[in-house]
């Protein structure tokens, strides 16, 4: 009966043809709170990696059926996962080839279990840090913050000092256009073209009426505006502070 993997734990695949080494690694990995998968040859390791998608792979170079370097290359072509190469060889050329094929780390046998566990944690932490960084960049790309104003482009939502303000889609687009270039006055003619998608043909009051409604909804005084500022003789701009 196969052991079920805990979805709340990270999974590590150990690929080695020496059962005593697998047993040592599996014991210590489980003690550290990881799920483990085992493979004793290259083909089994490759298939298991592609099917189970573990969070990290401990991969021996010298394997039956398919060598570790080939497994590393094939796995990396399918998806990005940290691969820590294990080898009895301490030759620089093996290390270089492994790293060129996409291996993230390299350790030679015999190795210290403590050092290996530290390398495992470091590589997993690196992946988590990269994910966090990417997530923050994506969140940043979905939002525009100008002074007290925050626009969520995904939700089509505007907040002033953290309070959600209800705008129509067209009002949101106008604020968004100004927010993409805070402090830069935009003419009514340009706003008509970019927000309403039609060229200026005489009636610019549409912009003024819309700005007036937006100010009211944002709690922005028309006489003493702090958010959407009227640049006399030119147009409107969003206060950058």
């Amino acid at each position: 009966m196969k052991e079920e993997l805990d979805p709340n734990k990270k999974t590590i695949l150990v690929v080695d043809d020496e059962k005593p080494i697998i047993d040592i690694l599996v014991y210590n990995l489980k003690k550290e709170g990881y799920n483990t998968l085992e493979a004793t040859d290259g083909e089994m390791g490759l298939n298991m990696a592609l099917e189970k998608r573990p969070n990290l792979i401990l991969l021996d170079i010298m394997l039956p059926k398919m060598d570790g370097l080939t497994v590393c290359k094939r796995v990396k072509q399918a998806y990005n996962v940290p691969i820590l190469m294990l080898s009895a060889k301490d030759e620089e050329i093996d290390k270089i080839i492994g790293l060129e094929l996409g291996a993230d780390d390299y350790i030679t046998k015999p190795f210290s279990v403590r050092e290996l566990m530290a390398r495992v944690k470091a590589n997993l932490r690196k992946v988590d840090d990269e994910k966090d960084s990417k997530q923050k960049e994506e969140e940043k790309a979905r939002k525009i913050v100008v002074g007290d104003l925050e626009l969520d482009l995904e939700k089509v939502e505007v907040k002033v000092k953290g309070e959600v303000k209800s705008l129509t889609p067209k009002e949101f687009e106008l604020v968004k256009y100004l927010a993409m270039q805070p402090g830069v006055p935009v003419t009514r003619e340009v706003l008509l073209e970019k927000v309403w998608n039609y060229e200026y043909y005489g009636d610019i009051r549409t912009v003024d009426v819309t700005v007036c409604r937006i100010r009211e909804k944002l709690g922005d005084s028309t006489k003493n505006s702090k958010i959407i500022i009227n640049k006399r003789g030119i147009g409107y701009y969003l206060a950058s502070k």
Side-chain angles (χ1 to χ4, degrees), residues 49-62:
L50 298 181
E51 180 186 349
K52 300 295 185 179
R53 298 276 176 132
N55 301 100
L56 183 141
I57 301 173
L58 295 175
L59 179 61
D60 189 25
I61 288 183
M62 302 298 289

Side-chain angles (χ1 to χ4, degrees), residues 175-194:
V175 176
K176 174 186 169 184
Y177 191 80
L178 294 177
M180 291 172 70
Q181 45 201 331
V184 179
V186 181
T187 66
R188 294 170 175 82
E189 292 82 358
V190 168
L191 288 171
L192 277 173
E193 179 185 347
K194 300 298 182 181

Side-chain angles (χ1 to χ4, degrees), residues 145-164:
V145 179
V146 182
D148 294 331
L149 202 67
E150 180 183 308
L151 281 76
D152 189 316
L153 306 185
E154 194 172 73
K155 295 180 180 178
V156 192
E157 183 179 85
V158 175
K159 292 180 182 178
V160 178
K161 294 182 179 179
E163 184 180 344
V164 177

Side-chain angles (χ1 to χ4, degrees), residues 84 106-108 110-121:
L84 202 162
Y106 194 105
I107 192 166
T108 55
F111 49 78
S112 157
V113 172
R114 181 178 293 181
E115 180 189 354
L116 184 60
M117 291 301 128
R119 299 269 195 102
V120 167
K121 289 178 183 178

Side-chain angles (χ1 to χ4, degrees), residues 109-153:
K109 300 174 183 177
F111 49 78
S112 157
V113 172
R114 181 178 293 181
E115 180 189 354
L116 184 60
M117 291 301 128
R119 299 269 195 102
V120 167
K121 289 178 183 178
N123 279 279
L124 289 172
R125 188 163 55 244
K126 181 182 176 184
V127 172
D128 288 340
D129 289 344
E130 287 173 353
K131 284 181 180 178
D132 288 343
S133 177
K134 185 179 179 181
Q135 186 176 347
K136 286 177 182 177
E137 286 298 318
E138 289 174 350
E139 287 176 359
K140 187 177 179 182
R142 293 198 300 265
K143 292 183 180 180
I144 301 175
V145 179
V146 182
D148 294 331
L149 202 67
E150 180 183 308
L151 281 76
D152 189 316
L153 306 185

Side-chain angles (χ1 to χ4, degrees), residues 76-113:
K76 284 291 189 175
Q77 287 173 341
Y79 81 114
N80 191 25
V81 57
I83 296 179
L84 202 162
M85 304 295 294
L86 308 174
S87 175
K89 295 181 179 180
D90 195 15
E91 296 178 11
E92 192 67 24
I93 187 67
D94 293 311
K95 185 181 294 187
I96 291 170
I97 292 173
L99 295 174
E100 284 181 348
L101 291 175
D104 298 85
D105 210 342
Y106 194 105
I107 192 166
T108 55
K109 300 174 183 177
F111 49 78
S112 157
V113 172

